[in-house]
Amino acid sequence: MDEARTELEARLDGEVHLESESGTEDEPPVKHDNPGPVKPFEPLNDLLSVPKYNEVDPSFLILLTFPALFGFMIGDAGYGVTTFLMFAAGYKLFPAAKEIFVSLMFASFMTFLFGLAFGDAFGYIIFGGHSELAAATGIELFSQIPILFHRAEHLGQVFTIAGAFGVFHVNLGYLVGGYNEYIRHGLKEAFLEKGSWILLQIGVAIAVLASQPIGLGVIGLSIVLIVLGEGAVGVIEIPSLLSNIVSYLRVFGVSVAAVVLAKTVNALAEPLLGTGSLVLTVAGIGVLVVGHIFNTFIKIMEGFLQGIRLHYVEFYDKFYDGGGRRYVPFGAEDASL
């Protein structure tokens, strides 16, 4: 550095200013390298931090799970349309954030699909045996369209799916973390630090569903492996595994709340719509429009905040270090380039 300064000062008549970014020379800068459909999800990842050069870029994983999680939580075809329109407007109005809005349009599309699967649109049952649309129009075809289930009538299934997704998502994180460890330190470290946690869950499942002695043996073995991989602190963190999975039950809460809010708006409007009065009918329509627009904003906030939180906290904790340096082309002033 001193030699470079001396030579530059001699060439430039002393007008030299050099800065050293200490601690960053050994960390190569990172530039995302993902196919087209994944690129809109890169900013969602980078809101937390840029990945390091020697770990998996989670952007593809966000594409796989975030839209589905968002869609399941809202799960209404009508709100799938309204959220899509709002995100499309955001895409036009805020070009600097257009990639994020594209990723959210993916989420709206999944919301629409889940809404069709649940037979829900703006809180009304449109398909299935209890189709309100069939009753209102007299078209029985709507009642014959198969659905998964109506969430308001099958809370237990919504609860089970939320918990099952939590188990899947957390263990996907362990698998990705194992791959990161394999790249950095080899197969042994990958199994000790990540595989041992999966083995612990297998032991619990065996103890609960099959043989308690065998399950307890597997649990004991997994704890030994956790200590070998992470030390005593790993044992202290075992309860956090349960809390991570339980956190996904918020998906159940948001999903049920989405149904309740939509039906509440409809319940407020229906007495006005059934009076036969033009004024009250217009007022009822106004309640529906304003209420469902308000609900759209609420659902966007809940779906985004809860969905991205589960990724950043419960999911990323299993594999993601982050803290990488974004690659900036020479001469560029904006680090987002």
Side-chain angles (χ1 to χ4, degrees):
M1 178 70 74
D2 291 337
E3 293 179 1
R5 180 186 295 277
T6 301
E7 183 174 349
L8 288 171
E9 286 177 345
R11 291 174 178 268
L12 301 174
D13 298 326
E15 297 179 1
V16 175
H17 176 70
L18 298 179
E19 290 186 2
S20 174
E21 298 181 358
S22 59
T24 63
E25 289 84 354
D26 296 332
E27 188 74 27
V30 174
K31 185 177 186 296
H32 290 285
D33 183 20
N34 291 304
V38 181
K39 289 189 178 299
F41 294 87
E42 294 171 356
L44 285 181
N45 177 78
D46 294 352
L47 284 174
L48 182 64
S49 67
V50 176
K52 291 183 177 179
Y53 75 97
N54 61 348
E55 66 179 343
V56 171
D57 180 352
S59 302
F60 176 69
L61 300 173
I62 298 179
L63 165 63
L64 290 180
T65 54
F66 175 75
L69 194 59
F70 184 101
F72 181 82
M73 283 191 286
I74 299 178
D76 185 292
Y79 290 125
V81 173
T82 56
T83 56
F84 185 90
L85 293 175
M86 288 189 177
F87 295 146
Y91 178 89
K92 293 290 186 181
L93 295 174
F94 306 102
K98 64 180 182 180
E99 287 188 325
I100 290 181
F101 283 111
V102 170
S103 69
L104 293 175
M105 283 190 269
F106 273 84
S108 291
F109 179 67
M110 292 303 299
T111 300
F112 180 78
L113 292 183
F114 272 111
L116 296 181
F118 294 141
D120 288 337
F122 294 120
Y124 291 108
I125 300 174
I126 56 174
F127 301 142
H130 300 149
S131 172
E132 294 170 288
L133 183 59
T137 62
I139 302 175
E140 286 302 315
L141 176 63
F142 293 123
S143 64
Q144 297 170 7
I145 297 176
I147 61 171
L148 289 178
F149 53 82
H150 294 303
R151 287 176 294 172
E153 300 172 358
H154 295 84
L155 298 181
Q157 288 177 271
V158 179
F159 186 89
T160 300
I161 291 173
F165 182 83
V167 173
F168 161 76
H169 209 214
V170 165
N171 283 286
L172 177 61
Y174 281 128
L175 290 174
V176 177
Y179 179 73
N180 284 338
E181 290 300 320
Y182 172 73
I183 292 175
R184 296 166 180 167
H185 306 296
L187 183 60
K188 177 182 176 181
E189 291 300 320
F191 184 75
L192 289 177
E193 293 193 18
K194 303 300 177 181
S196 56
W197 290 93
I198 297 176
L199 186 64
L200 173 64
Q201 296 169 74
I202 293 174
V204 172
I206 292 174
V208 173
L209 302 176
S211 170
Q212 189 176 63
I214 295 176
L216 292 176
V218 174
I219 291 172
L221 174 61
S222 67
I223 292 175
V224 171
L225 295 175
I226 288 172
V227 172
L228 291 175
E230 301 186 16
V233 68
V235 178
I236 298 174
E237 292 179 354
I238 288 177
S240 68
L241 172 59
L242 177 61
S243 67
N244 287 159
I245 294 174
V246 169
S247 289
Y248 284 84
L249 296 181
R250 71 185 65 230
V251 173
F252 165 77
V254 174
S255 185
V256 173
V259 178
V260 172
L261 284 173
K263 288 187 176 296
T264 299
V265 171
N266 297 339
L268 292 173
E270 283 169 4
L272 300 174
L273 296 173
T275 61
S277 166
L278 177 61
V279 174
L280 293 179
T281 298
V282 171
I285 294 173
V287 169
L288 287 175
V289 172
V290 173
H292 287 303
I293 289 176
F294 175 77
N295 276 352
T296 298
F297 283 105
I298 294 295
K299 292 172 190 297
I300 287 173
M301 288 190 293
E302 287 185 336
F304 179 80
L305 293 177
Q306 299 297 345
I308 207 67
R309 181 206 177 278
L310 288 171
H311 281 76
Y312 286 169
V313 179
E314 278 72 25
F315 182 50
Y316 275 24
D317 180 62
K318 305 299 176 289
F319 68 94
Y320 191 58
D321 291 331
R325 283 197 301 138
R326 187 191 304 276
Y327 168 74
V328 181
F330 182 74
E333 297 181 359
D334 186 355
S336 65
L337 293 176

